[in-house]
Amino acid sequence: MAHRPDTLEHAPLGRDSAYPEQYDAGLLYPIPRAANRAPLGIEDNNLPFVGEDEWHAFEVSWLNSRGKPIVAVARFRLPADSPNLIESKSWKLYLNSLNQTRFESQEAVQSTLVRDLAAAAGAAVSVALLGVDDSELNPQRLPGECLDDLDIDISDYTPSAAHLVVGEEIVEETLYSHLLKSNCPVTGQPDWGSVLIRYKGPKIDREGLLRYLIGYRQHQDFHEHCVEHIFTDLMQLKPEKLLVLARYVRRGGLDISPWRATPGLTPPSPLRLARQ
């Protein structure tokens, strides 16, 4: 871990920052606790308390060895007796640096996080990676069948309607995925979401649909326009009915859940998903 100054002068907080998508542990910015504790009369070698800093990260994602995105909610526990805390924006940028990086397994991701965060904090850091629908998070769940366990290779991260194909069977079904990601066209910040598709019509090939949705991963557009883009492309498949709903992760205290549908369809009653 590179040496950092004892002040926030060079910290990324409050500065314009690029949002890297390739792994970079050097983004983590440690801040010594001693400087803030000294005015309180607290000595690092004689703490009057025990405790820890518990963090939850709702924007954790990486690629598996076949290029398919994986998403998780991470829980970090940083001991109060660690020499350093970690500045929050640097932590966010570091986590985003995993987005387009391939790992052989979730265990490899976890061990990487444990190693890098411990080096920045100067003490062991606990890391848990939880699935978005994990019962430990007590989330409400989207209705329908989740596409995210499909075992597919991904090499294209731009949206292409060419992935959308249908068969002759007419079905009525509800499908969803937590792997929706796009980027803000103004700031470049990643936008994370879950998307639900309810339709009646020719059966959509599920692997192709998941490839199509993952294709938004490096696409720049507003939340609302992404939903309208998906709706318009799916309408080319000639469904009798169609609903597209996205529930985006909160940013800056705001979340948005745009939906577009053919007349007569309405979205499921309001849900609060784990990442919201």
Side-chain angles (χ1 to χ4, degrees):
M1 183 62 58
H3 173 71
R4 303 288 192 183
D6 290 350
T7 72
L8 289 171
E9 180 183 356
H10 301 288
L13 189 65
R15 297 170 179 265
D16 291 336
S17 302
Y19 282 81
E21 294 194 325
Q22 290 295 328
Y23 168 69
D24 184 358
L27 292 165
L28 291 167
Y29 194 95
I31 300 293
R33 298 183 188 269
N36 288 321
R37 287 175 170 172
L40 302 176
I42 297 174
E43 299 177 357
D44 275 350
N45 60 357
N46 188 29
L47 296 179
F49 48 67
V50 296
E52 60 186 12
D53 307 327
E54 183 173 288
W55 296 69
H56 285 85
F58 299 94
E59 301 180 354
V60 179
S61 183
W62 63 92
L63 304 179
N64 70 10
S65 59
R66 300 176 67 183
K68 176 187 168 185
I70 307 295
V71 296
V73 175
R75 178 182 295 138
F76 306 108
R77 291 191 169 99
L78 192 70
D81 60 359
S82 65
N84 305 318
L85 55 82
I86 301 172
E87 188 271 320
S88 60
K89 186 174 181 181
S90 80
W91 200 325
K92 177 179 180 178
L93 293 172
Y94 163 71
L95 291 175
N96 276 301
S97 80
L98 306 180
N99 290 347
Q100 292 297 116
T101 304
R102 296 192 183 207
F103 290 87
E104 288 297 320
S105 65
Q106 179 167 304
E107 290 72 24
V109 177
Q110 186 169 5
S111 63
T112 298
L113 293 170
V114 167
R115 181 194 66 218
D116 294 345
L117 294 169
V125 175
S126 168
V127 177
L129 296 175
L130 307 173
V132 177
D133 285 333
D134 196 303
S135 59
E136 185 176 341
L137 297 170
N138 298 315
Q140 293 179 287
R141 301 183 64 165
L142 290 169
E145 298 180 62
C146 184
L147 300 173
D148 296 352
D149 289 335
L150 293 173
D151 189 17
I152 57 177
D153 291 295
I154 301 290
S155 58
D156 182 17
Y157 301 98
T158 55
S160 172
H163 292 303
L164 299 173
V165 296
V166 295
E168 296 182 358
E169 181 184 3
I170 302 299
V171 299
E172 187 167 3
E173 63 181 357
T174 301
L175 307 171
Y176 70 89
S177 173
H178 296 303
L179 302 184
L180 181 64
K181 173 189 173 289
S182 56
N183 296 311
C184 174
V186 178
T187 67
Q189 290 190 64
D191 294 321
W192 305 87
S194 301
V195 59
L196 176 144
I197 295 166
R198 177 172 290 167
Y199 74 98
K200 180 179 180 181
K203 187 171 183 178
I204 302 173
D205 177 77
R206 293 187 177 187
E207 290 191 1
L209 178 58
L210 185 59
R211 284 193 175 90
Y212 168 78
L213 295 173
I214 290 172
Y216 284 83
R217 192 167 179 86
Q218 294 185 307
H219 180 69
Q220 290 197 328
D221 211 341
F222 294 109
H223 303 67
E224 302 91 331
H225 294 167
C226 287
V227 170
E228 292 178 0
H229 193 165
I230 295 169
F231 180 88
T232 301
D233 283 346
L234 290 176
M235 283 300 295
Q236 298 303 309
L237 305 178
K238 307 298 184 184
E240 297 176 37
K241 302 176 182 178
L242 175 64
L243 165 72
V244 178
L245 162 72
R247 298 202 66 92
Y248 280 93
V249 175
R250 184 181 306 135
R251 179 144 59 84
L254 296 171
D255 67 50
I256 183 171
S257 300
W259 61 276
R260 304 292 185 264
T262 53
L265 283 185
T266 56
S269 39
L271 300 168
R272 304 304 307 162
L273 303 182
R275 294 187 296 174
Q276 294 183 299

